[in-house]
Amino acid sequence: MTYDFGPFRYDAEQRLLFRAGEIVPLVPKAADTLHVLLERRGRIVEKAELMKLVWPGTNVEDVGLARNISLLRKALEDESEANPYIETIPRRGYRFAAPVSTPG
């Protein structure tokens, strides 16, 4: 499955993010984080659920998750507070807020 949003396309099968046909480099856990957020787009993903899905069977601190979100925001050039791709829901988690289409 692929997810299109803004100038980006995320290929879920390959776990690759593209912008204008070029690969946007992501560390594996950041790609996994993006994958979970896109699968649950429009919904709040609680921090605990996100950590459980991205790091199964591992105890991870909030700082590890925050680092992945920061890496994703940089890769997505997501500095706009008016229309962010990823919204922070204080004390709860994150939500992929941008419109997404799933062609094909």
Side-chain angles (χ1 to χ4, degrees):
M1 174 174 280
T2 59
Y3 300 89
D4 291 344
F5 54 96
F8 298 97
R9 171 170 279 191
Y10 178 75
D11 183 323
E13 185 176 315
Q14 297 184 72
R15 295 277 207 271
L16 291 174
L17 178 66
F18 297 90
R19 181 183 184 133
E22 298 289 323
I23 293 176
V24 177
L26 288 177
V27 297
K29 291 298 183 190
D32 293 345
T33 302
L34 178 59
H35 185 91
V36 170
L37 291 172
L38 284 168
E39 282 184 325
R40 291 157 177 78
R41 63 196 174 275
R43 299 186 335 230
I44 297 171
V45 182
E46 301 284 338
K47 288 180 185 180
E49 178 186 9
L50 196 49
M51 287 189 276
K52 179 181 169 187
L53 292 168
V54 175
W55 291 274
T58 306
N59 188 13
V60 178
E61 300 283 329
D62 280 357
V63 70
L65 176 57
R67 181 178 168 274
N68 273 352
I69 296 295
S70 176
L71 290 171
L72 280 176
R73 286 183 170 144
K74 285 179 185 172
L76 297 172
E77 300 172 5
D78 193 11
E79 283 98 33
S80 169
E81 289 187 27
N83 296 305
Y85 289 114
I86 301 169
E87 290 181 336
T88 299
I89 311 301
R91 297 185 205 17
R92 292 193 56 201
Y94 300 94
R95 172 176 42 213
F96 196 90
V100 176
S101 64
T102 54

